[in-house]
Amino acid sequence: MKKLLAATLGVLSAVGGFVDIGDLVAASQAGARFGMGHGWVLVAGVVGICAYAEMAGRIAAVSGRAVFDLVRERLGPRVALLNLVASYLVTVLTLAAELGGVALALHLASRVSYLLWVPVAAFGVWLVLWRMRFQLMERVFGLAGLALVVFAVALFRLPTDWGALARGALHPGAAGQGLAAYWFVAVALFASTVSPYEVFFFSSGGVEEKWSAADLADARASVLVGFPVGGFLALSLVATATVVFHPTGTSLSTLDQVAAPVVIAFGGVGLAIAALAFFAVTFGAALETGLSAAYTAAQYFGWQWGKRVSPRDAARFHSVLLVSVLLGVLVLLTSVDPVRLTEYMLVVSAVALPLTYLPILIVANDRTYLGDRVNGPLLNLLGAVFLVVIVAASVAAIPLAVTTGMGR
């Protein structure tokens, strides 16, 4: 039973981390503008994140150390510092976007200004990170995030042309929106599916859960079930936006519009479920990004870290965690639009992706840490191909953002 619960925890953690505010916005915007033309991006993202999350989980289980903990030791302090700065910047921006997503979800449910909800959301996130046990945290918010399946169910209530959806997925194109805009959205959507914090959190979470080599099967099951389910939920967002918004060429700019398909399908009940799902996935992602920011800093500097460690014994880790949450609040209190912030965050994330994934591939092939459990030829081939895609997305992100005016 304990092993079953551990596997379930990993699956729920993967779902909660995969479908965050970036996916809510990017996936819905992609469907509204380009129909199912970006379905292949989600498939590629799921395959890639599965490959690298498996490496990260295996590193944690076999070595007993998190990925970032080994990056400095394997690559040296200078390269690792560059990785830390880039990762921390992306993670804090993501944390700010997730806190904005929590506030927007509360606004959706209450109609109270989202800015008033920002400090409430931040306090709630910090309180859960400070007081709630790691396993309970993941089970509560991962399970609640599964409410997002309402978008998949809504397809059966909407006037869905399944043949048209299939044709759009199998024959992607710019749909009259311009090729540069199509590729900008592709890069943004890709970056949302492979956010750097996912693998850092997954690896560090394995250490928090005290994984060992005996837990490798559970870790792989968590990856191979959880992340595809997250991809399926994101694909449901694309599909519902395609059905409702694509025929009229509507461009999405608010979370209310993202929820519109389930409101049309189920009325007020659909709105309540969507608000719950948005709250759960953004709150869960805020927890994961907050922890990831503290994980990377503590692991680089060699501090004591982890939720399992009391604040008194890991004061610097918990201080970085609190400072990261406060920085996220400060970003939002500038009145920046959380949806707009998400778009910029995805561009920055795309640029920083190689610094996250290259070290994982290197460590996963190091027998000093993994012995005979290093990558096999097939996983190395998949990892290398995916790394080329990551580099291409990183190189293209800023030129596409500039030439298209952030995809406009």
Side-chain angles (χ1 to χ4, degrees):
M1 179 59 71
K2 287 183 66 176
K3 285 186 174 294
L4 178 61
L5 289 175
T8 304
L9 169 62
V11 171
L12 297 180
S13 174
V15 172
F18 193 82
V19 191
D20 63 357
I21 187 64
D23 293 279
L24 292 177
V25 174
S28 298
Q29 286 181 337
R33 294 186 62 187
F34 300 96
M36 296 299 294
H38 290 97
W40 64 271
V41 178
L42 286 172
V43 174
V46 168
V47 172
I49 194 66
C50 281
Y52 277 87
E54 192 281 332
M55 294 182 210
R58 177 160 33 92
I59 290 169
V62 175
S63 70
R65 298 167 65 184
V67 168
F68 211 91
D69 191 19
L70 298 176
V71 168
R72 173 172 176 154
E73 184 175 308
R74 180 64 178 79
L75 302 182
R78 293 183 180 178
V79 175
L81 181 61
L82 178 63
N83 195 332
L84 172 64
V85 171
S87 299
Y88 186 81
L89 173 63
V90 171
T91 303
V92 169
L93 282 177
T94 307
L95 173 58
E98 304 301 347
L99 290 173
V102 175
L104 286 174
L106 292 170
H107 163 73
L108 189 63
S110 67
R111 296 303 169 184
V112 175
S113 171
Y114 87 90
L115 281 175
L116 296 178
W117 285 115
V118 167
V120 176
F123 179 75
V125 166
W126 175 77
L127 189 62
V128 169
L129 290 174
W130 183 42
R131 300 298 299 175
M132 187 176 285
R133 290 185 296 109
F134 190 87
Q135 287 187 343
L136 181 61
M137 177 189 78
E138 285 301 314
R139 288 172 184 167
V140 168
F141 292 99
L143 182 60
L146 291 176
L148 207 64
V149 76
V150 70
F151 281 85
V153 178
L155 285 172
F156 294 93
R157 291 287 295 270
L158 295 169
T160 303
D161 185 338
W162 297 97
L165 287 181
R167 287 192 295 274
L170 294 174
H171 303 285
Q177 295 279 338
L179 214 59
Y182 173 85
W183 283 107
F184 173 81
V185 172
V187 168
L189 185 59
F190 178 74
S192 75
T193 66
V194 294
S195 300
Y197 79 87
E198 293 179 56
V199 287
F200 291 143
F201 179 82
F202 190 75
S203 170
S204 300
V207 177
E208 293 266 25
E209 296 288 346
K210 299 181 180 179
W211 283 351
S212 67
D215 298 306
L216 281 175
D218 289 341
R220 290 194 181 104
S222 298
V223 169
L224 297 177
V225 175
F227 286 100
V229 169
F232 168 76
L233 295 176
L235 193 62
S236 299
L237 291 167
V238 175
T240 52
T242 298
V243 172
V244 174
F245 296 113
H246 184 57
T248 60
T250 303
S251 180
L252 303 188
S253 58
T254 67
L255 208 58
D256 302 57
Q257 290 175 302
V258 175
V262 296
V263 175
I264 294 171
F266 302 112
V269 174
L271 178 62
I273 297 174
L276 170 64
F278 294 165
F279 173 81
V281 297
T282 53
F283 198 98
L287 297 173
E288 294 181 19
T289 49
L291 281 171
S292 293
Y295 283 151
T296 53
Q299 289 164 14
Y300 176 83
F301 290 108
W303 301 335
Q304 180 70 273
W305 59 272
K307 274 181 63 60
R308 69 192 185 282
V309 184
S310 70
R312 177 178 297 179
D313 296 327
R316 288 174 291 190
F317 167 79
H318 285 278
S319 296
V320 172
L321 198 158
L322 177 59
V323 168
S324 300
V325 172
L326 292 176
L327 286 174
V329 172
L330 289 176
V331 170
L332 291 173
L333 291 183
T334 63
S335 297
V336 63
D337 180 1
V339 174
R340 190 72 169 168
L341 174 62
T342 298
E343 295 174 352
Y344 286 113
M345 176 268 294
L346 291 176
V347 172
V348 175
S349 177
V351 172
L353 286 176
L355 292 174
T356 298
Y357 287 94
L358 176 59
I360 294 175
L361 186 60
I362 292 173
V363 174
N365 281 283
D366 195 325
R367 293 186 180 275
T368 303
Y369 305 111
L370 299 184
D372 60 354
R373 296 185 184 273
V374 293
N375 286 356
L378 182 59
L379 191 56
N380 270 332
L381 176 61
L382 181 58
V385 170
F386 188 68
L387 190 62
V388 170
V389 175
I390 285 174
V391 171
S394 177
V395 171
I398 291 180
L400 285 172
V402 172
T403 57
T404 64
M406 294 297 293
R408 298 294 187 267

